[in-house]
Structure formats: structure tokens, C-alpha cells
Amino acid sequence: LLRNEFKPDRLENKRLQQQVKQALDYRSRIEKAIREQDNSMIQDEFVQTAGQIDEWLENIYDLAGRIDRYRQERDVLLRDRHQAEQRLDKLRDRLSHEQDGVMRDQLALSVKSTEQQLNTLNRLDDTIARAELQLENSLTHLGTIYSQTMLVDAKDIDSGRARRLRQEISDEVGELNDILLAMDEVYRAESAV
């Protein structure tokens, strides 16, 4: 069902496709471990955990989609950066030589606008770099959680291992949400320029 909702083949980048497939594979393995669990208390804990993992997968897929879109637009963004840097140098040079006050004001406004464009492009690059690392970390955590589901038995419920596992997933979902919000802010800022 999740493979129908999260279609890795929609992503152009092969590495991102593979990462999403890996996340889906971990999810199906975790689900299998839940089904094979013969202790109903553990199974109940894991069912709650599985719901969080689905939300986590949704964020992973969304993040991979945004990274993929960025990579598709990378040439345009590099071109924009190069043009903005050249334009900024020319504008600053003109501003330093301009005598007319009205023209100086207009040039200063253009300098500020171009600086803002470059700042937005830098923030976008930084945010994408963080997103790529977060995606790698999420896959590592998902693999760890899969391994932990294989270790949980009845005595672990009393020790709280399953609850800690849910908390780890909740923390991971929160981190992904933070990255997605940061990306939204950068995209909104870029749209406003």
C-alpha cells in the first residue's frame, strides 16, 4: 500500500529512488516483525509505532521529492547565482561612481535586492545540504529501529524499550518536519524576490 502512495520511480535521481525504496523496505520488515509478534502487549506497542513510522515515511518521501526538485533546478540556480554575482559587482561599481542622488538610490535598491537573492540562494544550498544529511540519518535510524524491533520481547515492554522506540521515532519525525519547514521558508523567500 505504501509503495503505491510513495512511488520512488517518480523521483528522477536514482540515489533518492534507492533511499526511498530502502525506507519502504524497512517499513515492510518492521510490519512483518509486528505481525509475527505473539505477545499482544508488544504487538499493541508496535502498532502505535508503525503509525508513527508511516508519518516518518511520508516526511522522508516529501524530503526526497524536494531534494529531487532542487537537483533538477540546480543548473538554473547556478546560472542565477553566477548572474547575480556578476550583476552585484557591476551595480556596486556603478554605485561607487554615480553622482546623481536619485540614480544612487535606485542603484542602492538594486544592490540590496541582488544581495537578498544571493542570500536566499545560499540559504537554499545550506538547507538542501542539511536535508540530504537528514535523509541519510533517517535511513540509518530506520534501520536501527528495524533491528530493535527484532530484539524486543516481553521483558522489554516492562523496561520501556518499546516506548523509547516510539519516542525516537517521534523525535525523528520532528526533525524531518523542522527541515521541511526550513525548506518552505526558503522557497517562500525566493518567491518573494
Side-chain angles (χ1 to χ4, degrees), residues 33-154:
I34 292 170
R35 281 194 316 265
E36 291 175 352
Q37 195 55 245
D38 57 358
N39 182 304
S40 64
M41 283 178 31
I42 293 174
Q43 203 167 33
D44 290 346
E45 286 287 334
F46 278 164
V47 166
Q48 292 177 27
T49 301
Q52 288 179 304
I53 290 174
D54 291 347
E55 183 181 352
W56 190 3
L57 284 175
E58 184 177 333
N59 286 341
I60 287 172
Y61 186 72
D62 190 19
L63 189 61
R66 290 175 189 220
I67 294 169
D68 193 53
R69 189 174 85 207
Y70 169 81
R71 288 181 178 173
Q72 291 172 32
E73 297 296 323
R74 184 80 175 133
D75 291 340
V76 172
L77 294 168
L78 287 172
R79 182 205 63 207
D80 287 354
R81 177 188 305 281
H82 180 70
Q83 288 175 346
E85 288 169 346
Q86 288 181 332
R87 184 166 189 257
L88 187 58
D89 289 341
K90 289 177 184 176
L91 287 169
R92 285 178 175 158
D93 185 54
R94 282 183 63 192
L95 181 60
S96 70
H97 295 97
E98 185 59 53
Q99 300 298 317
D100 180 48
V102 173
M103 188 60 143
R104 284 184 63 77
D105 290 346
Q106 186 61 46
L107 285 167
L109 185 61
S110 293
V111 165
K112 183 177 179 182
S113 176
T114 306
E115 288 172 341
Q116 184 178 8
Q117 180 186 16
L118 284 171
N119 286 338
T120 299
L121 289 168
N122 288 335
R123 283 181 40 219
L124 179 59
D125 286 344
D126 292 345
T127 302
I128 291 297
R130 283 181 36 223
E132 290 169 337
L133 288 172
Q134 187 62 45
L135 186 58
E136 290 286 337
N137 289 339
S138 291
L139 288 172
T140 300
H141 282 92
L142 200 51
T144 301
I145 287 167
Y146 166 64
S147 299
Q148 290 173 342
T149 61
M150 302 304 289
L151 296 174
V152 173
D153 61 23

Side-chain angles (χ1 to χ4, degrees), residues 149-164:
T149 61
M150 302 304 289
L151 296 174
V152 173
D153 61 23
K155 70 179 186 319
D156 292 320
I157 289 297
D158 295 332
S159 69
R161 178 180 273 180
R163 279 183 231 95
R164 284 193 307 274

